């Protein structure tokens, strides 16, 4: 893994147009999902009379705050399918967007620290392989080979008993991904409108015909929600409910250090995950803050706990310094799987619920969501993820069994 | 003074010339004095040059004298090397061995032997910053008797006063004044003064987090056991922020050449450390404060040329003093370039116009230091971390707090109060107000009246004088590629211009496009200059297109408010810094070592292991242990020469054929009391408990609202209104929280109280055909006959030892079995008694592995192993446990379509055709045809449909073969079918069988 000075961004990224009076499709929220959806709508479906409305700055929500872990080793078939589709798109994304997004397939290790962790890990590896997803069970010695700075000794409270490893998994640079999509979408004629908050919906019977915004009313043929942690607020304005709890999720970085950490390590049991980004900063996170809230900040004890876990597993991190902490608002469903599909309002679609792990899904979800919006039909990849599953009970529970966040 | 320090003054400064301290930097030895920082020692040695810049490899020098330093970083070599330590806040102590860094650290891979600990305290008044404002506040608050904690990151109290020890405060030299205040504070019993302590995080409810450095300055003389660093968690009724202000550099060509320094730093090196950065100085300033540096330089014997960007020059007061001192001043001018690469050789000075463009020829002024002051930015980090509002004060040319956060007070330079008297007045007022608000009234009230504070506020602008908002100075060649905005990130004005050219309008985007403010100083050096630059570049743009950072122009709200309200309808044609807004301030204010945050929660203390009172026996008998939740449980007890399989087979045989015993203490135990306890349990468990007779036990399952199994255990009815429930070992805390959530938030009308009694009881399971004999010996007074002591009953009794016990007849193995519950205290004694009572029957201790095998042979599921949050009781074949006559959590879900009809995964057993093959738990099950031509090599071309997976897998001593439990789609309909188990690229045939493989009729439990 080479230390990298990042190259410069392109000379031009996106235009800042005034909103038009109406669009065929309005996407609410210019996070990764909104931008990717706009791009695929224009690119694959020829729908270019599209606006992406963003209350703040482009990709300033969770897209600017995540720890960029990309993997597709999810347990259930439905999840594996959409995340693996996404991973395949990642593998061609730099060419597709003409943008270096630093997609680095350095592998992701999910550590096991208890016998039950081992069972769950083996189960997931076997399921992944039969689903065509690269996955391996690695023993502690192999863990050490993949990541020499991990302490696999039994001098820690929960020694490493092995792990799962997905070689094709890795990280990318979030801003660059968002901007790559934004630039291409803007080139294809999509209007990216910042500082424009959707405050209401214009309805005609059961159908949405426009949005009210902080910059005035804008008409819309269709409206696609992509508001992550704020989806419940928007759904409320539109008159339906989504089974989502919004929680703070924090992350942090250290200052830059020479590269010593070659892969991505996640431990659900001791609650920490860490990679070393291209420039050399350690990027870390843990679990959500347990209370609900819309403040993009969390509690300090969560940070302290993950630091204990980090120093346990990685003695070399002892005197790395915490440089910055921050928080995003993650949209968590009861089964830790996303929601994507139609809503009770005609002409309105929803994509949310990616919770702590939707960065990796940006290409795949944008791709499938664009299909859903363009054709009024969910794609095979997202059919199982509709709101209807909360009525039928056909949940896709990536919480309990998979036991991996992000 | 030891070795010659060429740039050290003979007098003055708060250093001890009699105590020379040696320092090694990159192998070269320097000598400084006690009281120095490493940076000041280097300055005293004429050394300004530090490492190179990170990417462009430009030579860099010490820029500041404080925590905002962007250039001067070292690796401190020692027992555990620490990287990226700023020289400007590293105290000089004997034995320092440093390697200068080029903006990037090197982590030490050794284990850090140092200890770190934490302290939690409550205070009435917490004061951050011990400059004049903070000290004045502390003194007033302390005098009221309030409990005061004063944080100061420096190793000295005094703040801005330190740079000018001779200045008078309340009629005495500031050094003396500080000592007096310190004396008063130390004499006050409730005051804690924490120097070398940085309050770096501010959280809701006045919860401050601070880091104290405790031993580094003791250079190895610290007492044993003293932690290297301590993390303070302070919850204060009231907080006073007296955090001062940072000076801003100026953005001009080659402003990063070593020798370009902040003017305030130059003054501090001279005043506090008697170390002179240069002998021929140019002071380049946009405001009056640069003149103090000019005078300090003059006093130190340097030649000084002041370049004042303001056309009108200094304010009258400052101008008079300058004239008296004979200072040479070029007004309406700027430094437009620097000669020299490794060190400043000369500054090019030229007149500039209103836009900052060159307005005349440049003059070369030979010099060795350029002191710059681009104005001041209040240090608002802690205020802003709490979403405290800021606004751009155009006269003060800085972002200033609008109103303090609730229960906080602001005093001094953090408000833009840039003179000592003003700081003292505000400090006193803040200290008094904070003490009063936390219930401590001053003895002599009225020492500082509200009107005095108002007067200070009114005077601020006049005192500060005008500041020219000179965000960038045009260079002589027209380019901006050496106009550093963020030297640490090697970002220049040209980078900002590229960003706006690319369409970036938000300051957040410019930050990310360039990486400005992402370095160690987190924008202390470059953030405001970037914002200022944006106002220049974007002037004339419709600000509606500019998504604001934090906060909006009106400065009335938090980030959220500004985001919600957008930008006012009629935009000014020229965006102000307020309209651009800041990037968000986040903890920590300055970097903190990971280990300090980890504190002592490492190794054993990471999550303290729980052990039962019987644990010493298990250790003595060489059990191997398994982590279950936080508990250490015996896994199996190998005898000499036995491997796990042999030990488990022996333990199983004992339980099935003779008698065995196991420590079941770790099961969660909860007492549920109250008039509605029965009703409560009826709603929690899928089966009914209201009518359970006193003295009886019943197995119960609880589900989440989605109908999925969440936990299970046996419930005893102790009395009419008193139940005793056991939970899984790992689930105890979760279950108690679950019960509390329902009783407190959903059904507050129910009279029910839940109490954890896990720690109060030790539980010993005695299992096997001979268990009755053992229990009879243990409890001679108890009728243990089949008739006298029925299955799922319990008895309170007194053991032969005289110990009171509760004995239950329940089984988790299918064998005749008893559970002895005694107060924890007696656990070990009773265990030993069981061992003795069973000795004649060769009673055998067994661990969790044997327990798992025995229960699996009976298809008793382990929640969390055979279930995973997607499994209903019906899926487990336990329809009988789901009541049809009462409501309970999860009931509603069973009517949902996904719970009907085919396709659900059901618990069955799987028998490998190869009877010796033990499948890995987690192996997936598929139909042979589904494999197609996939051989297990590599990955299949298309996903292969999976039917389920093996949840448990063992070798059964009783059956003489391997077996597993599995969740299989429509599993009960597949009994008799052969499926393929896939694992590790291998395939093996397994036969699907009924879940219960042993004693299906259930005759053995009553034997
Ligand atoms: C700390 C953290 C770490 C994470 N780590 C990972 C990880 O390692 N791997 C991974 O895969 N995922 C990770 N995630 C999750 C991932 O970031 C999110 O799932 C994903 O970014 C969500 O999709 P998005 O990018 O579209 O959301 P966002 O970027 O949040 O976009 C939603 C946008 O909607 C806008 N909006 C909201 N309401 C309105 C309105 N009324 N009008 C207009 N606009 C509106 C918001 O301002 C926002 O810009 C992490 C998240 C966090 C917070």
């Amino acid at each position: 893994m080479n230390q990298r000075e990042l190259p410069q961004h392109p000379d031009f990224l996106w235009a800042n147009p005034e909103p038009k009076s109406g669009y065929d499709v309005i996407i609410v929220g210019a996070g990764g999902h909104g931008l990717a959806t706009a791009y695929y709508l224009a690119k694959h479906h020829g729908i270019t009379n599209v606006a992406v409305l963003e209350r703040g700055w482009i990709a300033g929500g969770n897209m600017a705050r995540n720890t960029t872990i990309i993997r597709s080793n999810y347990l259930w078939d439905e999840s594996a399918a959409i995340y693996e589709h996404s991973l395949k798109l990642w593998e061609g994304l730099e060419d597709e967007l003409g943008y270096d997004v630093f997609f680095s397939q350095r592998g992701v290790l999910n550590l096991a620290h208890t016998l039950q962790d081992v069972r769950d890990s083996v189960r997931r590896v076997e399921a992944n392989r039969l689903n065509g997803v690269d996955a391996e069970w690695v023993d502690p010695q192999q863990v050490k080979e993949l990541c020499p700075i991990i302490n696999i000794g039994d001098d820690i409270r929960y020694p490493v008993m092995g792990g799962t490893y997905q070689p094709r998994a890795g990280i990318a640079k979030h801003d660059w991904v968002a901007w790559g999509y934004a630039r291409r979408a803007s080139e294809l004629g999509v209007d990216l409108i910042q500082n424009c908050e959707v405050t209401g919906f214009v309805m005609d019977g059961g159908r949405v015909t426009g949005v009210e915004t902080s910059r005035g009313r804008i008409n819309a043929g269709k409206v696609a929600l992509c508001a992550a942690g704020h989806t419940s607020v928007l759904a409320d304005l539109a008159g339906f409910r989504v089974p989502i709890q919004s929680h703070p999720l924090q992350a942090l970085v250290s200052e830059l250090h020479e590269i010593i950490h070659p892969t991505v390590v996640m431990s659900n049991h001791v609650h920490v995950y860490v990679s070393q980004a291209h420039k050399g900063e350690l990027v870390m996170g843990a679990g959500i803050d347990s209370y609900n809230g819309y403040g993009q900040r969390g509690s300090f004890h969560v940070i302290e706990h993950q630091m204990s876990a980090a120093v346990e597993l990685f003695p070399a991190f002892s005197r790395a310094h915490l440089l910055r902490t921050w928080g995003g608002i993650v949209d968590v469903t009861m089964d830790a799987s996303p929601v994507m599909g139609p809503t009770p309002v005609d002409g309105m679609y929803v994509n949310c619920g990616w919770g702590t792990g939707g960065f990796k899904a940006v290409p795949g979800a944008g791709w499938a969501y664009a299909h859903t919006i363009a054709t009024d039909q969910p794609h095979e990849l997202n059919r199982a993820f509709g709101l209807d599953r909360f009525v039928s009970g056909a949940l896709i529970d990536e919480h309990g069994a998979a036991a991996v966040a992000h | 003074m030891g070795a010659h320090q060429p740039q050290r003054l003979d007098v003055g400064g708060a250093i001890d010339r009699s105590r020379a301290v040696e320092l090694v930097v990159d192998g070269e030895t320097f000598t400084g004095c006690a009281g120095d920082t490493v940076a000041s020692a280097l300055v005293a040695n004429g050394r300004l040059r530090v490492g190179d810049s990170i990417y462009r490899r430009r030579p860099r020098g010490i820029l500041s004298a404080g925590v905002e330093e962007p250039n001067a970083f070292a690796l401190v070599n020692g027992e555990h090397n620490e990287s990226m330590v700023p020289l400007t806040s590293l105290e000089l102590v004997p034995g320092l061995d440093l390697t200068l860094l080029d903006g990037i650290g090197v982590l030490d891979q050794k284990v850090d032997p140092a200890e770190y600990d934490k302290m939690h305290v409550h205070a009435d008044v917490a004061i951050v910053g011990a400059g004049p404002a903070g000290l004045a506040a502390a003194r007033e608050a302390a005098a009221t008797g309030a409990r005061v904690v004063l944080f100061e990151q420096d190793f000295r109290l005094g703040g801005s006063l330190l740079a000018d020890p001779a200045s008078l405060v309340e009629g005495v030299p500031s050094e003396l004044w500080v000592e007096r205040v310190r004396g008063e504070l130390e004499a006050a019993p409730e005051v804690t003064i924490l120097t070398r302590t940085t309050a770096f995080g501010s959280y809701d409810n006045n919860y401050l987090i601070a880091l104290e450095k405790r031993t580094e300055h003791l250079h190895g003389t610290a007492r044993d056991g003293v932690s290297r660093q301590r993390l303070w968690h302070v919850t204060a009724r009231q907080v006073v922020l007296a955090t001062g202000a940072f000076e801003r550099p100026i953005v001009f060509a080659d402003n990063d050449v070593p020798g370009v320094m902040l003017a305030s730093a130059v003054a501090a090196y001279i005043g506090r450390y008697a170390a002179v950065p240069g002998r021929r100085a140019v002071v380049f300033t946009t405001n009056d404060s640069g003149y103090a540096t000019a005078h300090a330089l003059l006093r130190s014997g340097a030649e000084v040329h002041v370049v004042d960007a303001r056309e009108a020059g200094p304010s009258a007061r400052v101008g008079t003093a300058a004239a008296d001192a004979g200072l040479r001043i070029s007004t309406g001018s700027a430094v437009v370039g620097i000669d020299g690469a490794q060190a400043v050789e000369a500054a090019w000075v030229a007149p500039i116009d209103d836009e900052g463009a060159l307005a005349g020829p440049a003059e070369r002024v030979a010099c060795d230091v350029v002191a710059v002051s681009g104005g001041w930015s209040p240090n608002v980090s802690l205020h802003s971390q709490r979403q405290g509002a800021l606004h751009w004060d155009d006269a003060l040319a800085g972002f200033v707090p609008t109103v303090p956060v609730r229960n906080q007070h602001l005093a001094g330079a953090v408000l833009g109060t840039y003179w000592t008297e003003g700081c003292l007045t505000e400090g006193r007022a803040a200290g008094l107000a904070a003490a009063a608000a936390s219930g401590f009234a001053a003895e002599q009230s009225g020492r500082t009246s509200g009107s005095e504070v108002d007067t200070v506020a009114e005077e601020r602008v006049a005192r500060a004088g005008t500041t020219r908002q000179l965000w960038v100075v045009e260079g002589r060649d027209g380019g901006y590629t050496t106009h550093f905005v963020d030297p640490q990130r090697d970002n220049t004005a040209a980078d900002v211009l590229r960003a706006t050219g690319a369409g970036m309008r938000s300051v957040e985007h410019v930050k990310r496009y360039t990486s400005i403010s992402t370095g160690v100083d987190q924008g202390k050096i470059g953030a405001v200059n970037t914002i200022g630059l944006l106002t220049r570049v974007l002037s004339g743009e419709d600000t509606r297109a500019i998504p604001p950072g934090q906060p909006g122009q009106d400065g009335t709200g938090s980030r959220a408010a500004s985001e919600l309200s957008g930008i006012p309808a009629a935009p000014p044609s020229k965006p102000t810094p307020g309209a651009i807004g800041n990037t968000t301030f986040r903890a920590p204010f300055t970097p903190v070592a990971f280990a300090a945050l980890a504190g002592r929660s490492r190794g054993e203390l990471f999550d303290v292991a729980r052990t039962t009172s019987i644990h010493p026996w298990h250790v003595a008998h060489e059990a191997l242990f398994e982590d279950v939740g936080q508990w250490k449980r015996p896994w199996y007890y190998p005898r000499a020469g036995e491997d796990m399989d042999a030990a488990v087979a022996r333990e199983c045989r004992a339980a099935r054929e003779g008698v065995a015993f196991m420590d079941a203490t770790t099961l969660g135990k909860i007492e549920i009391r109250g008039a509605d306890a029965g009703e409560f349990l009826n709603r929690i468990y899928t089966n009914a408990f209201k009518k359970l007779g006193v003295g009886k036990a019943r197995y119960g399952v609880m589900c989440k609202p989605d109908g999925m199994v969440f936990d299970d255990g046996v419930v005893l009815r102790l009395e009419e209104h008193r139940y005793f429930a056991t939970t899984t070992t790992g689930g105890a805390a979760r279950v108690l929280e679950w019960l509390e959530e329902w009783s407190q938030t959903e059904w507050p009308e129910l009279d029910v109280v839940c109490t954890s009694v896990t720690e109060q009881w030790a539980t010993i399971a005695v299992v096997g055909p001979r268990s009755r004999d053992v229990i009879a010996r243990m409890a001679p007074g108890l009728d243990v006959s089949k008739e006298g002591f029925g299955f799922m009953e319990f008895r309170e009794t007194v053991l032969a030892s005289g110990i009171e016990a509760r004995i239950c007849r329940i089984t988790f193995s299918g064998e005749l079995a008893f559970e002895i519950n005694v107060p924890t205290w007696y656990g070990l004694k009773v265990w030993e008694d069981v061992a003795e009572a069973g000795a004649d029957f060769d009673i055998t201790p067994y661990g969790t592995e044997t327990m798992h095998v025995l229960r699996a042979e009976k298809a008793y599921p382990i929640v969390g192993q055979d279930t995973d949050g997607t499994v209903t009781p019906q899926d487990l074949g336990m329809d009988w446990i789901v009541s049809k006559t009462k409501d309970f959590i999860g009931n509603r879900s069973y009517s949902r379509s996904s719970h009907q009809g085919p396709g659900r995964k059901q618990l069955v057993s799987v028998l490998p055709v190869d009877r010796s093959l033990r499948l890995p738990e987690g192996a997936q099950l598929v139909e042979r045809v589904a494999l197609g031509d996939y051989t297990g090599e590599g990955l299949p071309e298309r996903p292969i449909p999976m039917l389920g997976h093996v949840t448990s897998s063992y070798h059964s001593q009783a059956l003489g073969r391997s077996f597993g439990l599995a969740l299989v789609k429509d599993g009960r309909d597949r009994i008799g079918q052969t499926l393929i188990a896939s694992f590790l690229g291998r395939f093996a045939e397994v036969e699907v069988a009924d879940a219960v493989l042993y004693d299906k009729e259930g005759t053995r439990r009553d034997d």
Side-chain angles (χ1 to χ4, degrees), chain B residues 710-734:
Chain B
F710 165 59
D711 207 87
D712 68 347
V714 170
V715 179
L716 316 182
R717 190 167 200 169
L718 303 178
E719 294 166 12
E720 172 73 10
H721 296 311
R722 189 165 158 227
Y723 293 79
F724 175 97
T726 60
T727 73
T728 57
T729 294
R734 269 199 301 278

Side-chain angles (χ1 to χ4, degrees), chain A residues 3 9-11 13 58 119 123 126 130 157-158 256 258 296 304 312 318-322 324-325 392, chain B residues 80 82 104-105 112 118 233 498 502 509 513 522 584 586-587 592 594-595 603 607 868 898 921 944 984:
Chain A
Q3 198 117 24
H9 286 285
D11 285 332
L13 286 176
I58 282 178
R119 292 180 194 108
R123 174 185 180 191
E126 297 303 337
L130 292 175
R157 175 66 177 87
Y158 295 107
L256 308 185
E258 284 180 7
Q296 289 170 318
E304 292 180 83
E312 279 270 279
S318 185
R319 294 189 193 178
H321 300 100
L322 173 70
R324 188 175 179 86
T325 59
S392 72
Chain B
H80 187 96
E82 182 160 6
I104 191 151
D112 183 352
K118 298 186 184 179
H233 296 71
R498 269 197 90 238
H509 283 145
Y513 190 94
Q522 288 286 295
T584 313
R586 296 280 192 181
V592 184
F594 284 14
D607 188 18
D868 59 7
S898 69
E921 289 161 343
I944 293 174
L984 302 170

Side-chain angles (χ1 to χ4, degrees), chain B residues 613-747:
Chain B
S613 55
I614 309 169
H615 190 76
W617 193 95
H618 307 317
V619 173
H621 290 76
E622 293 178 347
L624 294 185
F625 292 89
E626 176 188 4
D627 282 313
V628 185
Q630 295 169 309
W631 293 92
K632 292 276 179 203
R633 296 198 72 178
W635 191 10
Y636 57 97
Y637 299 79
R639 288 188 184 157
E642 275 184 346
D643 61 7
M644 174 163 161
D645 287 349
V648 170
R650 175 179 47 74
E651 293 173 11
C652 285
R653 193 177 321 114
R656 292 260 184 252
E657 296 171 13
V659 60
F661 66 142
M662 139 151 193
D663 183 357
T665 303
T666 62
L667 286 185
K669 305 176 202 78
I670 301 169
E671 263 203 35
I672 299 109
R673 298 176 186 235
D676 298 314
E679 172 64 21
F680 179 69
L681 294 181
N682 260 13
R683 297 185 193 181
I684 292 285
Y685 287 96
T686 62
N687 50 338
F689 285 89
K690 227 169 162 171
K691 296 192 190 126
L692 180 68
V694 173
K696 303 264 191 231
R698 182 169 290 162
Y699 171 74
V701 167
M702 59 179 80
C703 293
K704 284 279 170 113
D706 60 7
M708 306 302 169
V709 173
F710 165 59
D711 207 87
D712 68 347
V714 170
V715 179
L716 316 182
R717 190 167 200 169
L718 303 178
E719 294 166 12
E720 172 73 10
H721 296 311
R722 189 165 158 227
Y723 293 79
F724 175 97
T726 60
T727 73
T728 57
T729 294
R734 269 199 301 278
V735 171
L736 185 64
E737 278 167 22
W738 183 243
L739 301 188
E740 292 292 357
E741 181 177 341
W742 286 91
S743 74
Q744 290 181 35
T745 70
E746 302 294 328
W747 307 320

Side-chain angles (χ1 to χ4, degrees), chain A residues 29 31-33 54-55 62-63 66-67 69 198 356-360:
Chain A
H33 286 251
E54 169 53 52
R55 70 203 274 260
N62 293 338
M63 192 60 181
N66 69 77
T67 46
I69 296 173
V198 171
T356 60
F359 172 70
K360 64 180 71 65

